[in-house]
Amino acid sequence: MARRKQIYEGKAKILFEGPEPGTIIQYFKDDATAFNNQKKAVLEGKGVLNNRISEFIMTGLERIGVPTHFIRRLNMREQLVRHVEIVPLEVVVRNYAAGSIAKRLGVEEGAALPRSIIEFYFKNDDLGDPLVSEEHITAFNWANPQEIDDMMALALRVNDFLSGLFAGVGIRLVDFKVEFGRQYEGEMMRLIVADEISPDSCRLWDMETGDIMDKDRFRKDLGDVTDAYREVARRLGVLRETESSGQTGPVLVSDNEK
Ligand code: TMP
């Protein structure tokens, strides 16, 4: 097969030129990083799981009318997505206090927030993705006021969808990060959900046991990271039962499987 042109390599994904103009192939690596690249590991099978989980979530968002970059999954590690101009912001929605907000504002971990809180972080590895205000965003032209409104409205719709989806399978959506891209169609521009939504970018706690089922397992050295991601996939119905027992490659469908 002809070697595809690589457009960009990030910490957890590689982007290749897509087969048609306006498309990109998003390849999910097994690499995990935390604390702005200071901590690194290869978690075997993570990319496969995140590809499937993100596909499932993006497809669900499309179904309720939230536009995303997702077109279709190509194979175990790749999906075809729309080419967008990424807005250089990480949009975080929080329902319960955890992570940086707990630390920064002294809120007790796990406390329900008075309402869902939206935060913006400037995507810049050299600076460690600093928290920014709407003033910074408009002054430095990272997004205009209309785009900020649109991103906040979309982020809340994503939050409602994800909260319900996960609650239905016994998982609390503590917080998550979403990225947006500008898609140009002639004179028109619209913001769509881009990047990925997976246990790498969410905090997910088991509602019964409180067990952590997301990337905090890696950040906090709790172990069994991919097992937790696999359990998230299994509960969402993304994996067949037979795929949930440790195997991460394609599974041979056996005769006795339903
Ligand atoms: P934080 O509490 O560390 O600010 O993280 C908030 C949410 O955003 C959490 O679900 C993890 C996610 N996140 C990312 O997806 N990428 C990042 O680089 C960071 C710092 C957080």
Side-chain angles (χ1 to χ4, degrees):
M1 196 179 72
R3 182 111 186 98
R4 289 167 310 188
K5 191 169 162 217
Q6 184 174 314
I7 297 173
Y8 176 81
E9 175 154 12
K11 286 178 278 197
K13 294 186 293 297
I14 306 174
L15 304 180
F16 297 98
E17 232 168 40
E20 302 129 43
T23 65
I24 276 187
I25 293 167
Q26 183 165 256
Y27 176 98
F28 288 75
K29 299 193 282 188
D30 282 341
D31 299 23
T33 68
F35 313 118
N36 202 16
N37 236 350
Q38 289 176 51
K39 179 170 178 167
K40 294 182 204 187
V42 176
L43 305 172
E44 210 177 306
K46 175 177 83 84
V48 174
L49 290 161
N50 282 354
N51 186 21
R52 296 290 291 269
I53 294 169
S54 198
E55 169 194 19
F56 181 75
I57 291 172
M58 296 286 182
T59 307
L61 286 172
E62 290 280 352
R63 207 170 286 144
I64 61 157
V66 173
T68 80
H69 72 162
F70 183 79
I71 301 173
R72 66 175 178 277
R73 188 167 58 83
L74 298 171
N75 55 50
M76 297 299 281
R77 288 190 183 270
E78 294 177 328
Q79 46 184 246
L80 187 67
V81 301
R82 284 176 244 282
H83 183 49
V84 293
E85 176 188 291
I86 289 284
V87 177
L89 297 169
E90 301 203 338
V91 182
V92 168
V93 183
R94 301 179 186 274
N95 300 306
Y96 296 85
S100 67
I101 198 176
K103 220 186 207 174
R104 187 182 307 114
L105 303 182
V107 192
E108 189 198 344
E109 281 262 334
L113 296 169
R115 60 177 172 79
S116 300
I117 294 174
I118 304 177
E119 296 172 338
F120 296 98
Y121 293 83
F122 177 44
K123 262 171 76 76
N124 184 313
D125 282 343
D126 293 340
L127 302 175
D129 298 346
L131 178 69
V132 292
S133 71
E134 294 182 35
E135 276 288 288
H136 298 120
I137 296 170
T138 51
F140 293 111
N141 226 2
W142 298 323
N144 66 38
Q146 179 64 55
E147 290 175 326
I148 295 176
D149 282 355
D150 290 350
M151 286 189 287
M152 291 177 80
L154 284 167
L156 289 178
R157 290 179 70 192
V158 174
N159 185 45
D160 286 346
F161 173 76
L162 287 182
S163 295
L165 178 74
F166 284 120
V169 296
I171 296 173
R172 168 172 303 162
L173 178 67
V174 173
D175 57 33
F176 67 96
K177 182 264 297 184
V178 65
E179 294 186 26
F180 293 95
R182 298 186 182 96
Q183 189 194 8
Y184 294 94
E185 280 169 347
E187 294 289 286
M188 296 286 289
M189 187 281 287
R190 63 171 188 162
L191 284 170
I192 67 180
V193 173
D195 192 51
E196 72 181 290
I197 300 179
S198 73
D200 268 6
S201 57
C202 300
R203 280 201 176 89
L204 304 170
W205 295 356
D206 185 288
M207 279 180 163
E208 246 166 47
T209 63
D211 281 354
I212 292 173
M213 306 176 77
D214 57 70
K215 200 168 117 179
D216 270 350
R217 294 203 75 85
F218 171 66
R219 295 189 190 96
K220 299 176 178 213
D221 290 320
L222 298 174
D224 301 327
V225 185
T226 46
D227 288 343
Y229 285 32
R230 195 172 296 111
E231 175 61 12
V232 171
R234 191 193 66 79
R235 288 202 201 173
L236 292 174
V238 169
L239 295 183
R240 290 188 302 269
E241 295 293 327
T242 45
E243 279 180 279
S244 62
S245 55
Q247 200 157 349
T248 54
V251 171
L252 195 64
V253 179
S254 64
D255 290 341
N256 56 13
E257 201 191 354
K258 291 195 283 290

